[in-house]
């Protein structure tokens, strides 16, 4: 069996593992914090370490003869797949980093580069909640917001490899400033850090909530997961934040439903931890905003490959690009 190393580079964590060519197994799956403050060299060093560890573990399972044909890397963009360069990654603080070639040279095997959110959607299409669905749209909600479109079994990249940057659709032209420099992006309202930021702002403004005591008064420790946990135990303010987040995401997804008319939309990333507290009002918002015929044929579901979708997808992208 041949294997491909899949690498999912995110703003918070890096995840890597060796994926069987047919998707039937994943070996040596491991994760490390990205630590963007260490710069591109530090992050690339951690990618090489994780990928090398996966190869070593695979060697142990194959009696020292692992057939590793390459490495697929999913990274935040925009990027240039042809040259393997990450053009701009606001959440990493990167500009014009030749990531593909650095990884290929470090491991001594061929490499491919694709957008991390695109890879997550492709992974779900290959082995997860979107298996075989066409067309499939996915939106990833974590440190940032991204997404991907699969049509006829292939990722749609657009003319400049920018397709799927759903987090940077404008939902309020005069709204919050986004890390990309624009105002009113979906990411500025509904990403993990944005959810935490909105919660902390409300506490500072005097809203009654248990969120403060859950972090011992240190508002910098509030995360999106803190908000979900508080909502689950009945905190009214946290529940309001989750409903507002569902409204923002629902407006964005309604746009995607109207534009792409997909059979299924997958919502992936840490936001799925909110469960039906998020999905029920989100679906209602999509129903309210999108054309009825498009809504009638579209399921909105959470992804299945929690923590692994990007790794599977990066490996699949390598096989589709360099096979």
């Amino acid at each position: 069996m041949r294997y491909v190393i899949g690498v999912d580079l995110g703003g918070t964590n890096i995840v890597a593992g060796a994926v069987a060519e047919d998707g039937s197994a994943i070996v040596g799956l491991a994760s490390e914090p990205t630590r963007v403050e260490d710069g591109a060299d530090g992050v690339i060093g951690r990618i090489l370490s994780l990928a090398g560890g996966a190869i070593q573990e695979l060697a142990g399972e194959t009696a020292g003869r692992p057939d590793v044909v390459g490495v697929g890397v999913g990274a935040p963009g925009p990027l240039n797949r042809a040259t393997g360069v990450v053009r701009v990654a606001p959440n990493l603080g990167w500009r014009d980093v030749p990531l593909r070639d650095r990884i290929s040279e470090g491991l001594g095997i061929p490499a491919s580069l694709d957008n991390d959110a695109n890879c997550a959607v492709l992974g779900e299409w290959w082995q997860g909640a979107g298996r075989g669905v066409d067309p499939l749209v996915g939106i990833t909600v974590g440190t940032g917001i991204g997404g991907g479109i699969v049509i006829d079994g292939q990722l749609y990249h657009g003319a400049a490899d920018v397709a799927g940057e759903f987090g940077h659709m404008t939902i309020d032209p005069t709204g919050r400033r986004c890390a990309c420099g624009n105002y009113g992006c979906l990411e500025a309202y509904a990403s993990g850090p944005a959810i935490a930021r909105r919660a902390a702002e409300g506490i500072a403004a005097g809203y009654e909530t248990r969120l403060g005591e859950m972090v011992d008064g240190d508002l910098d420790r509030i995360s999106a997961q803190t908000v979900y946990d508080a909502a689950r135990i009945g905190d009214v303010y946290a529940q309001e934040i989750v409903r507002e987040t569902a409204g923002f995401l629902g407006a964005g997804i309604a746009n995607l439903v109207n534009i792409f008319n997909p059979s299924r939309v997958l919502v992936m990333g840490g936001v799925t931890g909110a469960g039906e507290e998020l999905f029920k009002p989100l679906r209602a918002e999509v129903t309210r905003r999108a054309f009825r015929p498009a809504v009638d044929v579209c399921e909105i579901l959470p992804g299945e490959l929690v923590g692994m979708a990007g790794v599977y997808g990066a490996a699949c992208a390598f096989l589709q690009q360099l096979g």
Side-chain angles (χ1 to χ4, degrees):
M1 176 70 73
R2 302 196 309 171
Y3 285 80
V4 177
I5 304 301
V7 176
D8 180 16
L9 169 60
T12 303
N13 292 300
I14 307 166
V15 188
V19 181
E21 185 179 28
D22 62 359
S24 61
I26 186 167
V27 177
L29 186 71
S31 173
E32 280 193 22
T34 307
R35 296 203 292 273
V36 298
E37 65 273 13
D38 291 345
D41 289 345
V43 173
I44 290 170
R46 276 186 284 284
I47 293 173
L48 294 174
S49 176
L50 283 169
I55 293 171
Q56 282 189 329
E57 188 163 334
L58 184 61
E61 293 200 4
T62 57
R65 295 189 297 275
D67 189 1
V68 178
V69 296
V71 54
V73 181
L79 47 79
N80 185 323
R81 290 183 305 131
T83 62
V85 171
V86 176
R87 288 173 167 171
V88 181
N91 291 322
L92 296 178
W94 287 10
R95 184 177 293 273
D96 295 327
V97 175
L99 182 60
R100 183 195 64 195
D101 291 349
R102 292 280 302 272
I103 298 300
S104 178
E105 291 163 5
L107 294 173
I109 52 178
S112 67
L113 179 68
D114 213 315
N115 178 272
D116 59 338
N118 284 356
C119 287
V121 179
L122 185 63
E124 290 283 357
W125 172 85
W126 188 32
Q127 296 294 326
R131 189 181 284 114
V133 173
D134 195 338
L136 175 70
V137 169
I139 183 167
T140 62
V141 184
T143 307
I145 294 180
I149 309 110
V150 178
I151 301 173
D152 294 333
Q154 299 286 326
L155 282 170
Y156 174 71
H157 290 97
D161 288 329
V162 182
E165 290 289 351
F166 302 148
H168 300 289
M169 70 173 84
T170 300
I171 61 170
D172 182 354
T174 59
R176 292 171 177 264
R177 187 173 177 86
C178 181
C180 73
N182 197 4
Y183 290 88
C185 292
L186 179 61
E187 184 173 300
Y189 291 86
S191 67
I195 293 168
R197 193 177 308 118
R198 285 167 39 225
E201 288 170 356
I203 296 171
Y207 282 91
E208 193 171 312
T209 174
R210 295 175 61 184
L211 282 167
E213 66 184 67
M214 291 174 69
V215 294
D216 298 323
D218 184 358
L219 301 190
D220 290 338
R221 287 174 49 201
I222 292 177
S223 67
Q225 189 61 53
T226 313
V227 176
Y228 306 150
D229 292 343
R232 199 170 290 114
I233 62 174
D235 187 282
V236 175
Y237 178 62
Q239 289 173 342
E240 179 61 27
I241 293 172
V242 173
R243 283 193 295 272
E244 286 181 353
T245 302
F248 295 134
L249 288 172
I253 290 172
N255 292 335
L256 301 177
V257 169
N258 281 341
I259 293 167
F260 295 105
N261 191 193
S263 299
R264 190 171 296 169
V265 173
L266 298 181
V267 182
M268 298 168 286
V271 73
T272 58
E276 282 302 302
E277 190 87 29
L278 175 94
F279 276 90
K280 186 176 179 179
L282 187 157
R283 293 185 183 109
E285 188 73 11
V286 174
T287 299
R288 187 172 76 86
R289 290 180 176 272
F291 282 121
R292 185 59 184 266
V295 171
D296 286 345
V297 299
C298 182
E299 298 178 286
I300 300 174
L301 300 173
E304 289 179 359
L305 302 175
V306 179
M308 298 184 292
V311 173
Y312 272 107
C316 184
F318 175 90
L319 292 169
Q320 289 190 351
Q321 288 182 38
L322 302 177

